[in-house]
Amino acid sequence: MSNVTPFPQPQRDAQQTGFDRTEIMRITDLYGRMVAAGHWKDYSIEFGKDAAVFWAFRRAAERPEYKVEKRPSLRSKQGMWALIGESGVVLKRGHELGPVLAPIERRLMKLVAG
């Protein structure tokens, strides 16, 4: 006879961080406008224990141009939202998503106008 091994149960204390509906709609709206402008081609989303991350790529084979990170543990400190550039440098950090996405919004205006 064979031994039956029980299926591992997920740990209840390991909470997953994610985006709520309004946050993901705001981010994907910006992504869609950047795609329409011909600048971005692909994206990726990761939901982890400590952070939720949205990556935007110019091409699928490259490093992400921008990374939008939600890290709730920093909510009471410098803000849970961060915009991180291609080189890994934090470009903007804040308590609200709108101002953190503002540098990309300004760049989009330049792409559309120019």
Side-chain angles (χ1 to χ4, degrees):
M1 289 283 176
S2 63
N3 292 334
V4 176
T5 305
F7 193 72
Q9 296 295 319
Q11 296 178 356
R12 296 289 177 206
D13 57 86
Q15 289 286 353
Q16 186 177 26
T17 303
F19 299 112
D20 67 24
R21 186 179 184 97
T22 57
E23 295 165 350
I24 198 68
M25 290 298 289
R26 179 93 189 247
I27 294 168
T28 55
D29 177 60
L30 175 60
Y31 171 77
R33 288 184 284 139
M34 290 295 276
V35 168
H39 192 68
W40 287 348
K41 305 276 190 249
D42 200 7
Y43 73 93
S44 178
I45 300 176
E46 177 187 357
F47 299 113
K49 181 182 174 192
D50 299 325
V53 185
F54 181 94
W55 287 283
F57 297 87
R58 275 179 281 195
R59 290 179 198 84
E62 292 183 356
R63 291 184 304 191
E65 182 176 13
Y66 289 108
K67 179 166 89 167
V68 179
E69 186 177 78
K70 177 183 179 182
R71 198 170 287 273
S73 63
L74 298 177
R75 177 180 291 138
S76 62
K77 296 176 181 138
Q78 62 235 46
M80 69 176 171
W81 292 101
L83 178 65
I84 301 169
E86 189 172 3
S87 61
V89 176
V90 176
L91 303 173
K92 186 94 171 171
R93 186 176 291 281
H95 295 281
E96 296 179 15
L97 180 59
V100 171
L101 294 177
I104 304 174
E105 296 273 354
R106 282 193 297 275
R107 185 171 184 197
L108 177 63
M109 293 300 173
K110 291 177 185 175
L111 288 172
V112 173

